[in-house]
């Protein structure tokens, strides 16, 4: 590895460990993800528990809560501590407008999220984070894991010259890319928004490589060919670097909360023709700045 890549990894792995009093935090990898125990999400968290969960969220970006028995109201109450709830868009035909059902049937040829992406990046104000509560896992006993990648580290592991080149650019994120092959529901206005290519995390100010293959279509400062070549190279960063990722194996009653600003995820569809079911709640974020 190049020295700047080692420096980027060391910057994360040697940071001082946070101390927690009311929760236990077991990291999934040194650079992303943690299992949180000591909280029952069916109960209101104490102020101290909540403050520690928030600190762990900013530190690890993906939090895994196991063995939870919760209702959609509990899930929404927990999510509401992090910001305003984000209505599902396009709205579900029936049921709770804030609950997105993540449901795979035996007939499914593909599933939503089976590719690297972050939720809602084509919106002018992208999602802060998502909370997925899985209650049914494939009958095979394995499969249906979700991968999560640290996009701070993805940025930090680029060469200094590449980081300088990207710093002033923007990228257009277009919901139509994600709809390719599907017909959007009638009346649905497909979102499209331009964001800096490198954004800063609104709470930690750390830089993030903010492009993903599901939504990002064009760097307007470049020619079409240059934009395509640069985006393809940037999209390949996550699959080329396993060090950026952790893998969550779901068990019924697991809730995972991830930060859509600095994390991409990939729901692996390796369990056809079996089933999987969960419910996702998302939280509104603000505009993202360079
Ligand atoms: C998603 O939000 O893309 C779904 C994630 C999953 O099903 O694991």
């Amino acid at each position: 590895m190049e020295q700047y890549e080692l420096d980027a990894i060391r910057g994360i792995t040697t940071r001082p460990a946070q101390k927690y009093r009311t929760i236990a935090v077991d990291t999934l990898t040194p650079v992303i993800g943690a299992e949180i125990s000591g909280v029952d999400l069916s109960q209101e968290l104490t102020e101290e528990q909540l403050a520690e969960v928030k600190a762990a969220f900013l530190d690890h970006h993906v939090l895994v809560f196991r063995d939870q028995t919760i209702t959609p109201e509990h899930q929404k109450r927990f999510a509401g501590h992090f910001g305003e709830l984000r209505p599902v868009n396009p709205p579900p035909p029936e049921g709770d407008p804030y609950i997105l059902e993540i449901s795979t049937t035996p007939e499914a040829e593909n599933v939503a999220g089976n590719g690297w992406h972050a939720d809602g990046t084509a919106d002018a104000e992208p999602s802060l984070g998502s909370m997925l509560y899985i209650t049914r896992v494939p009958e095979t006993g394995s499969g249906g894991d979700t991968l999560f990648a640290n996009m701070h580290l993805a940025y930090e592991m680029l060469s200094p010259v590449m980081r300088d080149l990207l710093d002033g650019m923007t990228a257009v994120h277009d919901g139509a890319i994600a709809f390719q092959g599907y017909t959007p529901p009638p009346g649905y206005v497909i979102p499209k928004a331009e964001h800096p290519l490198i954004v800063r995390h609104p709470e930690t100010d750390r830089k993030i490589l903010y492009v993903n293959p599901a939504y990002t279509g064009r760097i307007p400062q470049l020619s079409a060919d240059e934009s395509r070549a640069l985006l393809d190279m940037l999209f390949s960063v996550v699959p080329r670097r396993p060090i950026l990722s952790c893998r969550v194996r779901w068990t019924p009653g697991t809730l995972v909360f991830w930060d859509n600003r600095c994390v991409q995820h990939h729901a692996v569809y390796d369990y056809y023709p079996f089933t999987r079911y969960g419910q996702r709640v998302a939280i509104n974020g603000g505009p993202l700045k360079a």
Side-chain angles (χ1 to χ4, degrees):
M1 267 196 259
E2 304 288 344
Q3 190 57 48
Y4 57 82
E5 297 173 292
L6 294 169
D7 289 345
I9 298 165
R10 196 178 43 219
I12 296 185
T13 56
T14 61
R15 70 205 147 154
Q18 300 242 19
K19 299 256 185 301
Y20 298 97
R21 248 177 40 86
T22 61
I23 60 173
V25 177
D26 293 312
T27 54
L28 295 183
T29 85
V31 304
I32 183 167
E35 297 231 2
I36 305 296
S37 47
V39 291
D40 174 354
L41 300 178
S42 71
Q43 305 296 316
E44 186 59 284
L45 270 53
T46 64
E47 269 184 35
E48 197 179 354
Q49 278 178 317
L50 199 52
E52 293 198 337
V53 169
K54 285 184 179 178
F57 182 62
L58 294 181
D59 219 19
H60 300 287
H61 321 302
V62 178
L63 302 184
V64 181
F65 301 83
R66 300 263 177 212
D67 303 320
Q68 302 292 326
T69 305
I70 56 169
T71 64
E73 293 311 313
H74 297 141
Q75 191 174 351
K76 286 191 292 180
R77 179 183 65 194
F78 182 46
H81 287 301
F82 296 85
E84 189 184 34
L85 297 186
R86 187 177 178 86
V88 177
N89 191 21
E94 54 194 27
D96 191 319
Y98 294 101
I99 300 277
L100 175 69
E101 290 194 297
I102 302 282
S103 176
T104 311
T105 62
E107 300 78 38
E109 287 173 14
N110 202 352
V111 300
N114 184 23
W116 284 106
H117 68 288
D119 298 331
T121 70
D123 291 330
E125 300 199 349
S127 157
L128 177 154
S130 304
M131 282 185 187
L132 175 59
Y133 178 55
I134 289 281
T135 49
R136 182 165 182 179
V137 295
E139 295 85 335
T140 45
S142 63
D145 296 354
T146 306
L147 311 176
F148 296 91
N150 180 336
M151 300 310 292
H152 289 302
L153 186 57
Y155 171 75
E156 290 157 6
M157 288 182 79
L158 296 171
S159 67
V161 172
M162 180 56 70
R163 277 183 262 153
D164 283 349
L165 175 74
L166 302 180
D167 253 339
M169 293 186 189
T170 60
V172 177
H173 296 236
D174 188 346
I177 300 173
F179 267 112
Q180 268 163 23
Y182 300 92
T183 311
Y188 175 63
V189 180
I190 295 180
K192 191 172 181 174
E194 190 170 335
H195 304 294
L197 212 141
I198 306 302
V199 299
R200 283 186 183 272
H201 195 287
E203 291 169 83
T204 63
D205 210 37
R206 284 182 67 197
K207 289 185 174 182
I208 300 162
L209 174 59
Y210 200 70
V211 292
N212 69 84
Y215 292 110
T216 315
R218 180 74 201 262
I219 299 172
Q221 293 80 21
L222 301 180
S223 71
D225 285 351
E226 290 168 345
S227 167
R228 185 70 275 140
L230 185 53
L231 283 176
D232 284 346
M233 187 280 285
L234 295 174
F235 295 160
S236 77
V237 165
V238 171
R240 269 192 300 111
R241 291 194 186 281
I243 188 177
L244 300 176
S245 308
C246 67
R247 183 172 187 124
V248 173
R249 184 166 187 180
W250 299 89
T251 44
T254 301
L255 180 140
V256 178
F257 177 28
W258 65 86
D259 189 331
N260 277 313
R261 301 162 296 187
C262 61
V263 170
Q264 288 187 23
H265 57 286
H266 181 151
V268 181
Y269 190 31
D270 56 0
Y271 54 94
Y272 175 83
F274 296 97
T275 57
R276 178 177 182 265
Y277 182 82
Q279 296 185 326
R280 198 184 81 188
V281 171
I283 301 154
N284 272 338
L288 290 168
K289 301 200 181 86

